């Protein structure tokens, strides 16, 4: 399939956290879009589900985190997550940063979405600080975190 194929199933880069917390690595995987969710929501749902490879990857996404909604407008993807995202925030700031940017990089890497930044919400509210990251404003991807 071509990288920009947005039919029922397609191959995409999804950023996952490498063991040791030293950076992000792209995991190629099939993500299936359903009738009830758009492309951006399918990508975020795949990220919330965790890695399929398991090789050198550790999960930092807080258990129980649910996707409430995803919208894309004027180059900004707004992702609203459940409260578990905050209550289960990694204690180490570097891990929290990697977690946030795994989400931002995943959505922004999808060229056909034309997303330049991600606005994070938790239970419909902006998040002023997530492990030292100012998440109150839309975040642009940081591909320098890739290993």
């Amino acid at each position: 399939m071509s990288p920009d194929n947005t039919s029922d199933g397609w191959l995409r880069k999804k950023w996952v956290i490498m063991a040791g917390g030293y950076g992000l690595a792209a995991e190629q995987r099939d993500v299936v879009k359903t009738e009830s969710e758009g492309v951006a929501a399918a990508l975020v749902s795949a990220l919330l589900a965790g890695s399929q490879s398991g090789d050198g990857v550790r999960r930092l996404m807080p258990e129980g985190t649910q996707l409430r909604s995803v919208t894309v407008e004027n180059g900004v993807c707004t992702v609203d997550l459940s409260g578990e995202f905050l209550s289960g925030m990694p204690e180490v700031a570097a891990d929290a940063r990697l977690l946030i940017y795994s989400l931002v990089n995943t959505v922004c890497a999808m060229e056909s979405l034309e997303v330049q930044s991600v606005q994070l919400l938790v239970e419909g509210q902006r998040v002023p600080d997530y492990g030292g990251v100012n998440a109150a404003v839309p975040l642009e991807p940081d591909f320098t975190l890739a290993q």
Side-chain angles (χ1 to χ4, degrees):
M1 291 181 204
S2 76
D4 289 328
N5 184 355
T6 56
S7 64
D8 290 340
W10 63 100
L11 190 62
R12 291 290 168 254
K13 281 187 180 177
K14 180 179 72 82
W15 294 88
V16 294
I17 299 162
M18 295 297 292
Y22 301 114
L24 300 176
E27 176 185 81
Q28 297 289 333
R29 68 187 285 189
D30 288 320
V31 176
V32 179
K33 181 183 97 159
T34 66
E35 288 183 27
S36 63
E37 68 181 358
V39 175
L43 289 170
V44 174
S45 293
L47 184 65
L48 291 175
S51 173
Q52 291 181 337
S53 71
D55 295 333
V57 176
R58 64 190 173 102
R59 181 178 173 86
L60 287 179
M61 186 64 68
E63 285 296 323
T65 300
Q66 306 259 331
L67 178 60
R68 292 172 32 100
S69 68
V70 175
T71 58
V72 177
E73 188 174 326
N74 298 323
V76 178
C77 180
T78 301
V79 177
D80 189 4
L81 301 173
S82 64
E84 290 84 358
F85 188 76
L86 278 182
S87 63
M89 179 176 25
E91 294 179 13
V92 177
D95 287 347
R97 178 178 174 78
L98 288 175
L99 175 56
I100 285 244
Y101 281 99
S102 69
L103 177 66
V104 174
N105 289 4
T106 293
V107 175
C108 291
M110 177 71 182
E111 291 177 13
S112 66
L113 284 177
E114 298 181 359
V115 170
Q116 288 82 45
S117 62
V118 173
Q119 176 65 65
L120 177 66
L121 304 176
V122 174
E123 299 291 337
Q125 303 296 312
R126 290 182 188 234
V127 179
D129 180 79
Y130 195 86
V133 175
N134 178 9
V137 297
L139 298 168
E140 295 181 355
D142 183 353
F143 296 116
T144 66
L145 294 171
Q147 287 189 331

